[in-house]
Amino acid sequence: MLKIVSVVGARPQFIKAAAVSRVLRATEGVKEVLVHTGQHYDANMSDVFFEELEIPRPDYNLGIGSGTHGAQTGKMLEAIEKVLMEEKPDWVLVYGDTNSTLAGALAAVKLHIPVAHIEAGLRSFNRHMPEEINRVLTDHASDLLFAPTKTAVINLRHEGIPEERIKLVGDVMYDAALFYGKKAERQSQILNKLDLKPKGYVLATVHRAENTDDPVRLKVIFDALCEIAREIKVVLPLHPRTREALIKSAMYDKVALSICLTEPVGYLDMVMLEKNARLIATDSGGVQKEAFFYRVPCVTLREEMEWVELVELGWNHLVLPLSAEAVVDGIKLSLSDCAGLEGQPYGDSHAAQKIAQHLAHVPR
Ligand code: UD1
Ligand code: UDP
């Protein structure tokens, strides 16, 4: 029996793990042990995904919670190490670029347990981003690197990662989008609940540290979204980090008058909101791609991006939030001139199967 410990902890990882876990658990001879670090813990940031996406209950919930980078990652490292010493798996599987990813990879590699990284090779080339540090270190600690795109493969080659460790499998978020997209259509009532007409609103999300922790950036983005809301409804499911930042900057009440702010929504509601939006404005990695999966134009509110194919195909425009005018202009331009080219840069929606095959067959 091949034993795989999967480490998850933050919202996007639950969605990625939903796609992969489903396949791993259906693969003969594979046993998955699921570890939730507890990085995200609010019901609407965690439980809702386990319920809706039918992710098995975690075998371990480490309950680490929030903290500074060092404290959070350090506590995770210690707690994951204990689990790995107990479970003695053949592989540790980590996802994406959060502190949970790095802690899982580091705990495993120090115990000489092989590490497989899903979503390997993404780079923004901005080392100020905590995610960039997490990705680079995780990739260099990994034995198997599952790249979602050709660009990711090239990035890994440039960093000298041995070719035999790199596997181009496609993006597991595309697998999830197709698998759960239909379910969302059947189950979600969010459009009625928020009184939204298809293609009658802009969907926005904001949560990146570089946008929320800088009060000037935060004001630029929210001033721009309030301005857009004068012309078309803007709906924004609010990440707890951003809620705190808006309250701290005394902006929350004013923003709530212009923008339809909601609590974070479940994945099925989010898919429905994405599919029916006229445009999406976001700094989220996952949401950018989902915009493309549903062929909705998108503006990325950042300085640089990892999913460069979206810009190359013309579905996404990168807008650096330096002034509210620049953001308003960028959004208005995309609202008027939107559709991009066709293409399939994120694989064939069988990334999870390919990952399971590789894990089961790579000699250890
Ligand atoms: C983390 C990831 C980021 C990812 C994002 C997905 C890191 C360094 N960052 O950012 O890459 O894009 O998750 O959403 O790992 N909070 C709550 N309730 C929760 C979770 C968080 O209130 O359930 C609040 C806390 O005040 C916390 C803050 O949000 O301090 C930030 O949470 P944290 O997990 O540290 O980072 P994210 O911004 O969520
Ligand atoms: N998402 C969700 N509800 C929300 C906001 C996002 O289900 O209120 C989903 C979204 O559809 C995508 C994932 O969460 O699948 C993206 O997570 P997030 O934006 O938190 O992180 P990132 O992808 O930037 O790391």
Side-chain angles (χ1 to χ4, degrees), residues 188-197:
S188 170
Q189 294 300 320
I190 192 82
L191 297 187
N192 283 342
K193 207 167 124 193
L194 300 179
D195 192 22
L196 299 172
K197 306 249 170 330

Side-chain angles (χ1 to χ4, degrees), residues 159-171:
E159 290 177 19
I161 303 278
E163 196 63 32
E164 63 276 11
R165 294 190 189 177
I166 307 172
K167 308 291 172 197
L168 176 61
V169 292
D171 184 6

Side-chain angles (χ1 to χ4, degrees), residues 48-315:
V48 65
F49 301 101
F50 284 81
E51 286 153 21
E52 275 188 345
L53 309 183
E54 295 167 35
I55 308 169
R57 247 178 95 83
D59 298 278
Y60 296 86
N61 194 328
L62 307 178
I64 302 297
S66 305
T68 59
H69 286 283
Q72 188 184 51
T73 314
K75 283 182 201 155
M76 287 176 188
L77 185 58
E78 190 177 357
I80 296 169
E81 184 181 62
K82 276 201 189 108
V83 173
L84 298 183
M85 283 160 71
E86 171 82 25
E87 292 288 343
K88 300 186 176 50
D90 299 293
W91 283 103
V92 170
L93 190 56
V94 294
Y95 293 83
D97 54 19
T98 72
N99 289 345
S100 300
T101 316
L102 178 61
L106 208 48
V109 79
K110 295 266 182 163
L111 291 171
H112 310 293
I113 299 169
V115 180
H117 183 202
I118 293 183
E119 218 176 68
L122 291 193
R123 296 290 181 268
S124 65
F125 303 103
N126 174 357
R127 293 263 174 138
H128 284 287
M129 284 180 75
E131 292 85 356
E132 185 76 354
I133 301 298
N134 290 342
R135 293 177 193 128
V136 170
L137 297 180
T138 301
D139 281 341
H140 285 263
S142 293
D143 300 86
L144 256 185
L145 295 95
F146 294 120
T149 62
K150 287 183 188 147
T151 313
V153 171
I154 293 166
N155 290 339
L156 294 170
R157 282 185 189 144
H158 282 162
E159 290 177 19
I161 303 278
E163 196 63 32
E164 63 276 11
R165 294 190 189 177
I166 307 172
K167 308 291 172 197
L168 176 61
V169 292
D171 184 6
V172 296
M173 284 198 111
Y174 185 43
D175 299 17
L178 293 196
F179 189 81
Y180 296 106
K182 299 245 160 36
K183 196 173 176 194
E185 301 265 1
R186 286 196 303 274
Q187 289 192 9
S188 170
Q189 294 300 320
I190 192 82
L191 297 187
N192 283 342
K193 207 167 124 193
L194 300 179
D195 192 22
L196 299 172
K197 306 249 170 330
K199 303 297 161 191
Y201 61 94
V202 167
L203 174 67
T205 78
V206 179
H207 77 277
R208 293 264 156 223
E210 63 264 30
N211 286 336
T212 57
D213 293 6
D214 173 352
V216 177
R217 254 311 164 84
L218 187 74
K219 184 165 174 354
V220 161
I221 291 174
F222 279 90
D223 280 354
L225 293 174
C226 289
E227 179 63 29
I228 293 294
R230 290 152 67 98
E231 286 184 24
I232 179 167
K233 196 160 179 173
V234 176
V235 180
L236 195 151
L238 201 52
H239 190 290
R241 174 186 206 110
T242 318
R243 177 181 294 275
E244 280 171 28
L246 287 173
I247 291 170
K248 201 166 139 207
S249 307
M251 288 166 62
Y252 182 89
D253 291 341
K254 183 174 163 265
V255 168
L257 289 177
S258 302
I259 298 179
C260 172
L261 296 177
T262 73
E263 290 294 312
V265 296
Y267 182 68
L268 301 181
D269 282 346
M270 189 64 183
V271 165
M272 210 52 188
L273 286 173
E274 289 170 341
K275 277 187 165 187
N276 289 285
R278 166 114 175 260
L279 177 125
I280 296 176
T282 186
D283 60 7
S284 156
V287 175
Q288 277 170 54
K289 276 179 297 157
E290 287 162 357
F292 169 71
F293 299 154
Y294 306 125
R295 301 298 188 263
V296 175
C298 185
V299 168
T300 296
L301 302 167
R302 284 182 50 197
E303 207 162 336
E304 69 291 293
M305 55 153 39
E306 300 79 14
W307 303 100
V308 289
E309 309 76 21
L310 301 171
V311 171
E312 285 161 10
L313 288 171
W315 286 97

